[in-house]
Coordinates of all heavy atoms in Angstrom, one line a residue:
M292 N 94.1 86.7 101.5 CA 94.6 87.8 100.7 C 93.4 88.6 100.2 O 92.6 88.0 99.4 CB 95.4 87.2 99.6 CG 96.3 88.2 98.9 SD 97.5 87.5 97.8 CE 98.2 86.1 98.7
N293 N 93.4 89.8 100.5 CA 92.2 90.6 100.2 C 92.6 91.6 99.1 O 93.4 92.5 99.3 CB 91.8 91.4 101.4 CG 90.6 92.3 101.1 OD1 89.7 92.0 100.3 ND2 90.5 93.4 101.8
I294 N 92.0 91.4 97.9 CA 92.3 92.3 96.8 C 91.2 93.4 96.8 O 90.0 93.1 96.9 CB 92.2 91.5 95.4 CG1 93.3 90.5 95.4 CG2 92.3 92.5 94.2 CD1 93.3 89.6 94.1
Q295 N 91.7 94.6 96.8 CA 90.9 95.8 96.9 C 90.9 96.5 95.5 O 91.7 96.2 94.6 CB 91.4 96.8 97.9 CG 91.4 96.2 99.3 CD 92.0 97.1 100.3 OE1 91.4 98.2 100.6 NE2 93.1 96.8 100.9
Q296 N 89.9 97.4 95.3 CA 89.9 98.1 94.0 C 89.6 99.6 94.3 O 88.8 99.9 95.2 CB 88.8 97.5 93.1 CG 88.7 98.2 91.8 CD 87.5 97.7 90.9 OE1 86.6 97.0 91.4 NE2 87.5 98.0 89.7
E297 N 90.2 100.4 93.4 CA 89.8 101.8 93.4 C 89.5 102.1 91.9 O 90.2 101.5 91.0 CB 90.9 102.7 93.9 CG 92.2 102.6 93.2 CD 93.3 103.5 93.8 OE1 93.2 103.8 95.0 OE2 94.3 103.8 93.1
D298 N 88.5 103.0 91.7 CA 88.1 103.3 90.3 C 87.5 104.7 90.3 O 86.5 104.9 91.1 CB 87.1 102.2 89.8 CG 86.8 102.4 88.3 OD1 86.3 103.5 88.0 OD2 87.0 101.5 87.6
D299 N 88.0 105.6 89.5 CA 87.4 106.9 89.4 C 86.7 107.2 88.1 O 86.5 108.3 87.7 CB 88.4 108.0 89.8 CG 89.5 108.1 88.7 OD1 89.4 107.5 87.6 OD2 90.4 108.9 88.9
T300 N 86.4 106.1 87.4 CA 85.7 106.1 86.0 C 86.7 106.6 84.9 O 86.3 106.6 83.8 CB 84.4 106.9 86.0 OG1 84.7 108.3 86.1 CG2 83.4 106.5 87.0
K301 N 87.9 107.0 85.2 CA 88.9 107.3 84.2 C 90.1 106.3 84.3 O 90.7 106.0 83.3 CB 89.4 108.7 84.4 CG 88.4 109.8 84.2 CD 88.9 111.2 84.4 CE 87.8 112.1 84.1 NZ 88.0 113.5 84.6
K302 N 90.4 105.9 85.5 CA 91.5 105.0 85.8 C 91.2 104.2 87.1 O 90.3 104.6 87.8 CB 92.8 105.6 85.8 CG 93.0 106.7 86.9 CD 94.3 107.3 86.8 CE 94.4 108.6 87.6 NZ 94.5 108.5 89.0
G303 N 91.9 103.2 87.3 CA 91.7 102.4 88.5 C 92.9 101.4 88.8 O 93.8 101.4 88.0
A304 N 92.7 100.7 89.9 CA 93.7 99.7 90.2 C 93.0 98.6 91.1 O 92.1 98.8 91.8 CB 94.8 100.4 91.0
F305 N 93.6 97.4 90.9 CA 93.4 96.3 91.9 C 94.6 96.2 92.7 O 95.7 96.2 92.1 CB 93.0 95.0 91.1 CG 91.7 95.1 90.4 CD1 91.7 95.5 89.0 CD2 90.5 94.8 91.0 CE1 90.5 95.6 88.4 CE2 89.3 94.8 90.3 CZ 89.3 95.3 89.0
Y306 N 94.5 96.0 94.0 CA 95.7 96.0 94.8 C 95.5 95.3 96.1 O 94.4 95.0 96.5 CB 96.2 97.5 95.1 CG 95.2 98.3 95.9 CD1 95.3 98.4 97.2 CD2 94.2 98.9 95.2 CE1 94.3 99.1 98.0 CE2 93.2 99.7 95.9 CZ 93.3 99.8 97.3 OH 92.4 100.5 98.0
I307 N 96.7 94.9 96.7 CA 96.7 94.3 98.0 C 97.6 95.1 98.9 O 98.7 95.5 98.5 CB 97.3 92.9 97.9 CG1 96.5 92.0 97.0 CG2 97.5 92.2 99.3 CD1 97.1 90.6 96.6
E308 N 97.0 95.5 100.0 CA 97.8 96.3 101.0 C 98.2 95.5 102.2 O 97.4 94.6 102.6 CB 96.9 97.4 101.5 CG 97.1 98.7 100.8 CD 96.3 99.9 101.3 OE1 95.7 99.8 102.4 OE2 96.4 100.9 100.7
Q309 N 99.3 95.8 102.7 CA 99.8 95.2 104.0 C 100.5 96.2 104.8 O 101.4 96.9 104.2 CB 100.7 94.0 103.7 CG 101.2 93.3 104.9 CD 102.0 92.1 104.5 OE1 101.9 91.5 103.4 NE2 102.9 91.7 105.4
D310 N 100.1 96.4 106.0 CA 100.7 97.5 106.8 C 100.7 98.8 106.2 O 101.7 99.6 106.1 CB 102.1 97.1 107.2 CG 102.2 95.8 108.0 OD1 101.3 95.5 108.8 OD2 103.2 95.0 107.8
A311 N 99.5 99.2 105.6 CA 99.3 100.5 104.9 C 100.2 100.7 103.7 O 100.4 101.8 103.2 CB 99.4 101.6 105.9
K312 N 100.8 99.6 103.1 CA 101.6 99.7 102.0 C 101.1 98.8 100.9 O 100.8 97.6 101.2 CB 103.1 99.3 102.3 CG 104.0 99.4 101.2 CD 105.4 99.0 101.6 CE 106.3 99.0 100.4 NZ 107.1 97.9 100.2
R313 N 101.1 99.2 99.7 CA 100.7 98.4 98.5 C 101.8 97.4 98.2 O 102.9 97.8 97.9 CB 100.3 99.2 97.3 CG 99.0 99.9 97.5 CD 98.4 100.4 96.3 NE 97.2 101.2 96.6 CZ 96.4 101.7 95.7 NH1 96.7 101.6 94.4 NH2 95.3 102.4 96.1
I314 N 101.5 96.1 98.3 CA 102.5 95.1 98.1 C 102.3 94.4 96.7 O 103.1 93.6 96.3 CB 102.7 94.1 99.2 CG1 101.3 93.4 99.5 CG2 103.2 94.8 100.4 CD1 101.4 92.3 100.5
A315 N 101.1 94.7 96.1 CA 100.8 94.2 94.8 C 99.8 95.2 94.2 O 98.9 95.7 94.9 CB 100.2 92.8 94.9
E316 N 100.0 95.4 92.9 CA 99.1 96.4 92.2 C 99.0 96.1 90.7 O 100.0 95.8 90.1 CB 99.5 97.8 92.5 CG 98.7 98.9 91.8 CD 99.2 100.3 92.1 OE1 100.4 100.5 91.9 OE2 98.4 101.0 92.6
M317 N 97.8 96.2 90.2 CA 97.6 96.2 88.7 C 96.8 97.4 88.4 O 95.7 97.6 88.9 CB 96.9 94.9 88.3 CG 96.8 94.8 86.8 SD 95.6 93.6 86.3 CE 94.2 94.4 86.8
T318 N 97.3 98.3 87.5 CA 96.6 99.5 87.2 C 96.0 99.4 85.8 O 96.4 98.7 84.9 CB 97.5 100.7 87.3 OG1 98.6 100.6 86.4 CG2 98.0 100.9 88.7
Y319 N 94.9 100.2 85.6 CA 94.3 100.3 84.3 C 93.7 101.7 84.0 O 93.5 102.5 85.0 CB 93.1 99.2 84.2 CG 92.0 99.4 85.2 CD1 90.9 100.2 85.0 CD2 92.1 98.8 86.4 CE1 89.9 100.4 85.9 CE2 91.1 98.9 87.4 CZ 90.0 99.7 87.1 OH 89.0 99.9 88.1
V320 N 93.5 102.0 82.8 CA 92.9 103.2 82.4 C 91.7 102.9 81.4 O 91.7 101.9 80.7 CB 93.8 104.2 81.7 CG1 94.9 104.6 82.6 CG2 94.4 103.6 80.4
Y321 N 90.7 103.7 81.4 CA 89.6 103.6 80.5 C 89.9 104.1 79.2 O 90.6 105.1 79.0 CB 88.3 104.3 81.1 CG 87.6 103.6 82.2 CD1 88.0 103.7 83.5 CD2 86.6 102.7 81.9 CE1 87.4 103.0 84.5 CE2 86.0 102.0 82.9 CZ 86.4 102.2 84.2 OH 85.7 101.5 85.2
A322 N 89.5 103.4 78.1 CA 89.7 103.8 76.7 C 88.3 103.9 76.2 O 87.8 102.9 75.6 CB 90.6 102.9 76.0
G323 N 87.6 105.0 76.4 CA 86.2 105.1 76.0 C 85.3 104.4 77.1 O 85.7 104.1 78.2
E324 N 84.1 104.1 76.7 CA 83.1 103.6 77.7 C 83.1 102.1 77.7 O 82.5 101.5 78.6 CB 81.7 104.1 77.4 CG 81.6 105.6 77.6 CD 80.2 106.1 77.3 OE1 79.2 105.3 77.2 OE2 80.1 107.3 77.1
Q325 N 83.7 101.4 76.7 CA 83.6 100.0 76.6 C 84.8 99.2 76.8 O 84.9 98.0 76.6 CB 83.0 99.6 75.2 CG 81.7 100.3 74.8 CD 80.6 99.7 75.7 OE1 80.5 98.5 75.9 NE2 79.7 100.6 76.2
K326 N 86.0 99.9 77.1 CA 87.2 99.2 77.2 C 88.1 99.8 78.3 O 88.1 101.0 78.5 CB 87.9 99.4 75.8 CG 89.3 98.7 75.7 CD 89.8 98.6 74.3 CE 89.8 99.9 73.5 NZ 90.4 99.8 72.2
I327 N 88.9 98.9 78.9 CA 89.9 99.3 79.8 C 91.3 98.7 79.3 O 91.3 97.7 78.6 CB 89.7 98.8 81.3 CG1 89.6 97.3 81.4 CG2 88.5 99.5 81.9 CD1 89.6 96.8 82.9
I328 N 92.3 99.4 79.6 CA 93.7 99.0 79.2 C 94.5 98.7 80.5 O 94.6 99.6 81.4 CB 94.4 100.1 78.4 CG1 93.6 100.5 77.2 CG2 95.8 99.8 78.2 CD1 94.1 101.7 76.4
I329 N 94.9 97.5 80.7 CA 95.8 97.2 81.8 C 97.2 97.6 81.4 O 97.7 97.2 80.4 CB 95.8 95.6 82.1 CG1 94.4 95.2 82.5 CG2 96.8 95.3 83.1 CD1 94.3 93.7 82.7
D330 N 97.7 98.6 82.2 CA 99.0 99.2 81.8 C 100.2 98.9 82.7 O 101.3 99.2 82.3 CB 98.8 100.7 81.6 CG 98.3 101.4 82.8 OD1 98.1 100.7 83.9 OD2 98.0 102.6 82.8
H331 N 99.9 98.3 83.8 CA 101.0 98.0 84.8 C 100.6 97.0 85.8 O 99.5 97.0 86.3 CB 101.4 99.3 85.5 CG 102.6 99.1 86.4 ND1 103.9 98.9 86.0 CD2 102.6 99.1 87.8 CE1 104.6 98.8 87.0 NE2 103.9 98.9 88.1
T332 N 101.5 96.0 86.1 CA 101.3 95.1 87.2 C 102.6 95.0 87.9 O 103.7 94.9 87.3 CB 101.0 93.7 86.6 OG1 99.8 93.8 85.8 CG2 100.7 92.7 87.7
E333 N 102.6 95.0 89.2 CA 103.8 94.9 90.1 C 103.4 94.2 91.3 O 102.4 94.5 92.0 CB 104.3 96.3 90.4 CG 105.6 96.3 91.1 CD 106.2 97.7 91.3 OE1 105.7 98.7 90.6 OE2 107.1 97.9 92.0
V334 N 104.2 93.2 91.7 CA 104.0 92.4 92.8 C 105.3 92.3 93.6 O 106.4 92.1 93.1 CB 103.6 90.9 92.5 CG1 103.4 90.1 93.7 CG2 102.3 91.0 91.7
D335 N 105.2 92.6 94.9 CA 106.4 92.6 95.8 C 107.1 91.2 95.8 O 106.4 90.2 95.7 CB 106.0 93.0 97.2 CG 107.2 93.2 98.1 OD1 107.7 94.3 98.1 OD2 107.5 92.3 98.9
A336 N 108.4 91.2 95.9 CA 109.1 89.9 95.9 C 108.7 89.0 97.1 O 108.8 87.8 96.9 CB 110.6 90.2 96.0
S337 N 108.2 89.6 98.1 CA 107.7 88.7 99.3 C 106.5 87.8 98.9 O 106.3 86.9 99.6 CB 107.3 89.6 100.5 OG 106.2 90.4 100.2
L338 N 105.9 88.2 97.8 CA 104.7 87.4 97.4 C 105.0 86.4 96.2 O 104.2 85.8 95.6 CB 103.6 88.3 97.0 CG 103.0 89.2 98.0 CD1 102.1 90.2 97.5 CD2 102.4 88.4 99.2
K339 N 106.3 86.4 95.8 CA 106.7 85.6 94.7 C 106.3 84.1 94.8 O 106.3 83.5 95.9 CB 108.2 85.6 94.5 CG 108.7 85.0 93.3 CD 110.3 85.2 93.1 CE 110.7 84.5 91.8 NZ 112.1 84.6 91.6
G340 N 105.8 83.6 93.7 CA 105.4 82.2 93.6 C 104.0 81.9 94.2 O 103.6 80.7 94.2
Q341 N 103.3 82.9 94.6 CA 101.9 82.7 95.1 C 100.8 83.0 94.1 O 99.6 82.9 94.5 CB 101.7 83.6 96.4 CG 102.7 83.3 97.5 CD 102.5 84.2 98.7 OE1 101.4 84.5 99.1 NE2 103.6 84.6 99.3
G342 N 101.1 83.3 92.9 CA 100.1 83.5 91.9 C 99.3 84.8 92.1 O 98.2 85.0 91.6
V343 N 99.9 85.8 92.8 CA 99.2 87.0 93.0 C 99.0 87.8 91.8 O 97.9 88.4 91.6 CB 100.0 87.9 94.1 CG1 99.4 89.3 94.2 CG2 100.1 87.2 95.4
G344 N 99.9 87.9 90.9 CA 99.7 88.6 89.6 C 98.5 88.0 88.8 O 97.7 88.7 88.3
Y345 N 98.4 86.7 88.8 CA 97.3 86.0 88.1 C 96.0 86.4 88.8 O 95.0 86.6 88.1 CB 97.4 84.5 88.2 CG 98.4 83.9 87.1 CD1 99.7 83.7 87.4 CD2 97.9 83.7 85.8 CE1 100.6 83.2 86.4 CE2 98.8 83.2 84.9 CZ 100.1 82.9 85.2 OH 100.9 82.4 84.2
K346 N 96.0 86.5 90.1 CA 94.8 86.8 90.9 C 94.3 88.2 90.6 O 93.1 88.5 90.4 CB 95.0 86.6 92.4 CG 95.1 85.1 92.7 CD 95.4 85.0 94.2 CE 95.7 83.5 94.5 NZ 96.2 83.2 95.8
L347 N 95.3 89.1 90.4 CA 94.9 90.5 90.0 C 94.3 90.5 88.6 O 93.3 91.2 88.4 CB 96.2 91.4 90.1 CG 96.8 91.6 91.5 CD1 98.1 92.4 91.3 CD2 95.9 92.4 92.4
V348 N 94.9 89.8 87.7 CA 94.3 89.8 86.4 C 92.9 89.1 86.4 O 91.9 89.7 85.8 CB 95.2 89.0 85.4 CG1 94.5 88.7 84.0 CG2 96.5 89.7 85.2
E349 N 92.7 88.1 87.2 CA 91.4 87.5 87.3 C 90.3 88.5 87.9 O 89.2 88.5 87.5 CB 91.5 86.2 88.2 CG 92.1 85.1 87.5 CD 92.4 83.9 88.4 OE1 92.0 83.9 89.6 OE2 93.1 83.0 88.0
E350 N 90.8 89.3 88.8 CA 89.8 90.3 89.4 C 89.4 91.3 88.3 O 88.3 91.7 88.2 CB 90.5 91.1 90.5 CG 90.6 90.3 91.8 CD 89.2 90.0 92.4 OE1 88.3 90.9 92.4 OE2 89.0 88.9 93.0
A351 N 90.4 91.7 87.4 CA 90.1 92.6 86.3 C 89.2 92.0 85.3 O 88.3 92.6 84.8 CB 91.4 93.0 85.6
V352 N 89.4 90.7 85.1 CA 88.5 90.0 84.1 C 87.1 89.9 84.7 O 86.1 90.2 84.0 CB 89.1 88.6 83.8 CG1 88.0 87.7 83.1 CG2 90.3 88.7 83.0
A353 N 86.9 89.6 85.9 CA 85.6 89.5 86.6 C 84.9 90.9 86.5 O 83.8 91.0 86.2 CB 85.7 89.0 88.0
F354 N 85.7 92.0 86.8 CA 85.2 93.3 86.8 C 84.7 93.7 85.4 O 83.6 94.2 85.2 CB 86.3 94.3 87.2 CG 86.1 95.7 87.0 CD1 85.2 96.4 87.9 CD2 86.7 96.4 86.0 CE1 85.0 97.8 87.7 CE2 86.4 97.8 85.8 CZ 85.6 98.5 86.7
A355 N 85.5 93.4 84.4 CA 85.2 93.7 83.0 C 83.9 92.9 82.5 O 83.0 93.5 81.9 CB 86.3 93.3 82.0
R356 N 83.8 91.7 82.9 CA 82.6 90.9 82.5 C 81.4 91.4 83.2 O 80.3 91.5 82.5 CB 82.8 89.4 82.9 CG 83.8 88.7 82.0 CD 83.9 87.2 82.3 NE 84.7 86.6 81.2 CZ 85.6 85.6 81.5 NH1 85.8 85.2 82.7 NH2 86.3 85.1 80.5
E357 N 81.5 91.8 84.4 CA 80.3 92.4 85.1 C 79.8 93.6 84.5 O 78.6 93.9 84.5 CB 80.6 92.7 86.6 CG 80.8 91.5 87.5 CD 81.4 91.9 88.8 OE1 81.5 93.1 89.2 OE2 81.7 91.0 89.6
R358 N 80.7 94.4 83.8 CA 80.3 95.7 83.2 C 80.3 95.6 81.7 O 80.2 96.7 81.1 CB 81.3 96.7 83.7 CG 81.0 97.1 85.2 CD 82.2 97.7 85.9 NE 81.9 98.0 87.3 CZ 81.9 97.1 88.3 NH1 82.2 95.8 88.0 NH2 81.6 97.4 89.5
A359 N 80.4 94.5 81.1 CA 80.4 94.3 79.7 C 81.5 95.1 79.0 O 81.3 95.8 78.0 CB 79.1 94.6 79.1
L360 N 82.7 95.1 79.6 CA 83.9 95.8 79.1 C 84.8 94.9 78.4 O 84.8 93.7 78.6 CB 84.6 96.5 80.2 CG 83.9 97.6 81.1 CD1 84.8 98.0 82.3 CD2 83.6 98.8 80.2
K361 N 85.6 95.4 77.5 CA 86.7 94.7 76.9 C 88.0 95.1 77.6 O 88.1 96.2 78.1 CB 86.8 94.9 75.4 CG 85.6 94.5 74.6 CD 85.5 93.0 74.5 CE 84.4 92.5 73.6 NZ 84.3 91.1 73.5
I362 N 89.0 94.2 77.5 CA 90.3 94.5 78.1 C 91.4 94.5 77.0 O 91.5 93.5 76.3 CB 90.7 93.5 79.2 CG1 89.7 93.7 80.4 CG2 92.1 93.8 79.7 CD1 89.9 92.6 81.5
L363 N 92.2 95.5 77.0 CA 93.4 95.5 76.2 C 94.6 95.4 77.1 O 94.9 96.3 77.9 CB 93.5 96.8 75.4 CG 94.7 97.0 74.4 CD1 94.8 95.8 73.4 CD2 94.6 98.3 73.7
P364 N 95.2 94.2 77.2 CA 96.3 94.0 78.1 C 97.7 94.5 77.5 O 98.4 93.7 76.9 CB 96.3 92.5 78.3 CG 95.8 91.9 77.0 CD 94.9 93.0 76.5
L365 N 98.0 95.8 77.8 CA 99.3 96.3 77.3 C 100.5 96.0 78.2 O 101.6 95.9 77.7 CB 99.2 97.8 77.1 CG 98.3 98.3 75.9 CD1 98.4 99.8 75.7 CD2 98.6 97.6 74.6
C366 N 100.2 95.8 79.4 CA 101.2 95.4 80.4 C 101.8 94.1 80.0 O 101.0 93.2 79.7 CB 100.6 95.4 81.8 SG 101.5 94.3 83.0
P367 N 103.1 93.9 79.9 CA 103.7 92.6 79.4 C 103.2 91.4 80.3 O 102.9 90.4 79.7 CB 105.2 92.8 79.6 CG 105.4 94.3 79.5 CD 104.1 94.9 80.1
F368 N 103.1 91.6 81.6 CA 102.6 90.5 82.4 C 101.2 90.1 82.0 O 100.8 88.9 81.8 CB 102.7 90.8 83.9 CG 102.2 89.7 84.7 CD1 102.9 88.5 85.0 CD2 100.9 89.8 85.3 CE1 102.4 87.5 85.7 CE2 100.3 88.7 86.0 CZ 101.1 87.6 86.3
A369 N 100.3 91.1 82.0 CA 98.9 90.8 81.7 C 98.7 90.2 80.3 O 97.9 89.3 80.1 CB 98.1 92.1 81.8
A370 N 99.5 90.7 79.4 CA 99.5 90.2 78.0 C 99.9 88.7 78.0 O 99.2 87.9 77.3 CB 100.4 91.0 77.1
A371 N 100.9 88.4 78.8 CA 101.3 87.0 78.8 C 100.2 86.1 79.5 O 100.0 85.0 79.0 CB 102.6 86.9 79.6
V372 N 99.5 86.6 80.5 CA 98.4 85.8 81.1 C 97.3 85.7 80.1 O 96.8 84.6 80.0 CB 97.9 86.5 82.4 CG1 96.7 85.8 82.9 CG2 99.0 86.6 83.4
F373 N 97.0 86.7 79.4 CA 95.9 86.6 78.4 C 96.3 85.6 77.3 O 95.4 84.9 76.8 CB 95.6 88.0 77.8 CG 94.5 88.7 78.5 CD1 94.7 89.3 79.7 CD2 93.2 88.9 77.9 CE1 93.7 89.9 80.4 CE2 92.2 89.5 78.5 CZ 92.4 90.0 79.8
K374 N 97.5 85.6 76.9 CA 98.0 84.6 75.9 C 97.9 83.2 76.4 O 97.4 82.3 75.7 CB 99.4 85.0 75.4 CG 99.9 84.1 74.3 CD 101.3 84.6 73.8 CE 101.7 83.8 72.7 NZ 103.0 84.2 72.2
K375 N 98.3 83.0 77.6 CA 98.3 81.7 78.2 C 96.9 81.2 78.5 O 96.6 80.0 78.3 CB 99.1 81.7 79.6 CG 99.2 80.4 80.2 CD 100.1 80.5 81.5 CE 100.3 79.1 82.1 NZ 101.2 79.2 83.2
K376 N 96.0 82.1 78.8 CA 94.6 81.7 79.1 C 93.7 82.2 78.0 O 92.5 82.6 78.2 CB 94.2 82.3 80.4 CG 95.0 81.7 81.6 CD 94.3 82.1 82.9 CE 94.9 81.3 84.0 NZ 93.9 81.1 85.1
A377 N 94.1 82.2 76.8 CA 93.4 82.7 75.6 C 91.9 82.1 75.5 O 91.0 82.9 75.3 CB 94.1 82.4 74.3
D378 N 91.8 80.8 75.7 CA 90.4 80.2 75.6 C 89.5 80.8 76.7 O 88.3 81.0 76.5 CB 90.5 78.7 75.8 CG 91.2 78.1 74.6 OD1 91.3 78.7 73.5 OD2 91.6 76.9 74.7
D379 N 90.0 81.1 77.9 CA 89.2 81.6 79.0 C 88.9 83.0 78.9 O 87.9 83.5 79.4 CB 89.9 81.3 80.3 CG 90.1 79.8 80.7 OD1 89.3 79.0 80.2 OD2 91.1 79.5 81.4
Y380 N 89.8 83.8 78.3 CA 89.7 85.3 78.3 C 89.3 85.8 76.9 O 89.2 87.1 76.7 CB 91.0 85.9 78.8 CG 91.3 85.6 80.2 CD1 92.6 85.9 80.7 CD2 90.4 85.1 81.1 CE1 92.9 85.6 82.0 CE2 90.7 84.9 82.4 CZ 91.9 85.1 82.9 OH 92.3 84.9 84.2
N381 N 89.2 85.0 75.9 CA 88.9 85.5 74.5 C 87.7 86.4 74.4 O 87.6 87.3 73.6 CB 88.8 84.3 73.6 CG 89.5 84.5 72.3 OD1 90.3 85.4 72.2 ND2 89.1 83.7 71.3
D382 N 86.7 86.1 75.3 CA 85.4 86.9 75.2 C 85.6 88.3 75.6 O 84.8 89.2 75.2 CB 84.3 86.2 76.1 CG 84.7 86.2 77.5 OD1 85.8 85.8 77.9 OD2 83.8 86.5 78.3
I383 N 86.6 88.7 76.4 CA 86.7 90.0 76.8 C 88.0 90.7 76.3 O 88.2 91.9 76.6 CB 86.7 90.1 78.4 CG1 87.8 89.3 78.9 CG2 85.4 89.8 78.9 CD1 88.3 89.8 80.3
K384 N 88.8 90.0 75.5 CA 90.0 90.7 75.0 C 89.6 91.6 73.9 O 88.9 91.3 73.0 CB 91.0 89.6 74.5 CG 92.3 90.3 74.1 CD 93.3 89.2 73.8 CE 94.6 90.0 73.4 NZ 95.6 89.1 72.8
A385 N 90.2 92.8 74.0 CA 89.9 93.9 73.0 C 90.9 93.7 71.8 O 91.9 93.2 71.9 CB 90.1 95.3 73.6

């Protein structure tokens, strides 16, 4: 499973494509220079139970850590992951 990223310095997404169609996506927007807001996560039903949503959040966390950014998880799914993994993600939560 290959997670790709697009980022135009204002907004971006982590996503998985299959047959030229996005079957999983997590989008974010920049809030200043030090923070991103995860605003949406969607995973196709064909991927249910494979932990794809978690993997998208993990990619965002790695991205934020590499760039010394904070994350504000407004998307309900991302917020739930941050709550569940609070000890692991506390350093980057805005």
Side-chain angles (χ1 to χ4, degrees):
M292 197 170 314
N293 181 31
I294 297 177
Q295 301 177 65
Q296 181 185 15
E297 63 184 17
D298 187 300
D299 69 5
T300 70
K301 293 180 182 166
K302 60 184 166 71
F305 292 93
Y306 61 95
I307 298 170
E308 262 185 8
Q309 183 176 332
D310 301 324
K312 181 182 177 229
R313 288 193 184 185
I314 57 172
E316 179 178 54
M317 185 195 70
T318 60
Y319 60 90
V320 294
Y321 282 87
E324 295 180 17
Q325 303 292 317
K326 181 169 46 177
I327 61 172
I328 298 170
I329 296 176
D330 56 5
H331 180 73
T332 305
E333 187 170 347
V334 178
D335 189 83
S337 67
L338 300 173
K339 187 176 180 179
Q341 298 180 39
V343 173
Y345 280 94
K346 290 174 185 168
L347 293 172
V348 172
E349 287 171 8
E350 286 290 323
V352 167
F354 171 77
R356 284 184 175 142
E357 287 171 9
R358 289 160 181 77
L360 299 171
K361 296 288 186 181
I362 295 177
L363 180 58
L365 291 185
C366 158
F368 175 78
V372 173
F373 266 72
K374 185 175 181 180
K375 186 174 183 177
K376 296 190 165 211
D378 291 341
D379 296 332
Y380 294 165
N381 222 16
D382 62 314
I383 58 154
K384 186 174 180 192

